[in-house]
Amino acid sequence: MKNLIKIVPLVAALSLVSCKKDQSADQLVVKEETTATAPDSVSTEAQAPTQDATLVTADDRASEAQSKPLTTVALSESSFEFGKIKKGDHKEHTYEITNTGKNPLIISQVKPGCGCTVPDYTKDPIMPGKKGKITLKFDSSNFDGLVSKQAEIYANVEKAPMVITFTADIQP
């Protein structure tokens, strides 16, 4: 009974503290909302992004790329075979992409099919007649046997995304 008498005031004090903390957070949110809605007082960079802003679909990426003046391209190859590699090996292959059109080629994103593949690509506009590079880096640690992976290239071309692939035969 004595312990209960000691615990009740402690629980009551903690609940008051937590209520005050929640109330302060609510006030802070209201203040931020008021500031964010005041005309010309806050730049768009200062506003917190909404959840919807982080959800980018494949259609969004294709639309973004195709919103630029379209061009045409030629890939040095659309698929590559690593052949037999040892499990745990890290391999990479570079695909060349040539702008065969009349407008600058802008690669907006290269999206691999899974986390085992990391892309790197030419970020600057590729001028007509010039070449860019798309490198896929593959970690074979979690695979055995034959694997086939792909990456989607989003660019200002008529049929986006373009797809490049590679295969590997992973040995123990």
Side-chain angles (χ1 to χ4, degrees), residues 86-148:
K86 288 185 179 180
K87 183 174 182 150
D89 280 356
H90 293 255
K91 296 289 185 176
E92 66 179 58
H93 181 71
T94 301
Y95 303 77
E96 276 190 352
I97 187 166
T98 304
N99 183 350
T100 59
K102 296 180 180 179
N103 294 310
L105 171 63
I106 300 166
I107 302 172
S108 59
Q109 184 178 24
V110 176
K111 184 178 182 224
C114 76
C116 65
T117 306
V118 177
D120 188 22
Y121 57 94
T122 303
K123 310 282 189 304
D124 294 329
I126 302 165
M127 301 315 283
K130 300 296 181 183
K131 295 181 180 189
K133 294 182 180 183
I134 300 168
T135 302
L136 298 181
K137 300 172 186 176
F138 173 61
D139 178 1
S140 67
S141 300
N142 295 321
F143 300 96
D144 293 301
L146 292 172
V147 296
S148 179

Side-chain angles (χ1 to χ4, degrees), residues 33-104:
E33 287 173 0
T34 303
T35 304
T37 56
D40 300 323
S41 64
V42 176
S43 73
T44 55
E45 292 177 343
Q47 295 176 4
T50 63
Q51 273 188 328
D52 293 339
T54 60
L55 301 175
V56 179
T57 66
D59 289 339
D60 293 337
R61 287 188 291 273
S63 294
E64 175 190 348
Q66 291 181 328
S67 69
K68 312 290 190 273
L70 298 182
T71 192
T72 56
V73 298
L75 285 166
S76 59
E77 59 197 332
S78 60
S79 63
F80 179 78
E81 293 182 23
F82 283 111
K84 291 182 180 183
I85 63 174
K86 288 185 179 180
K87 183 174 182 150
D89 280 356
H90 293 255
K91 296 289 185 176
E92 66 179 58
H93 181 71
T94 301
Y95 303 77
E96 276 190 352
I97 187 166
T98 304
N99 183 350
T100 59
K102 296 180 180 179
N103 294 310

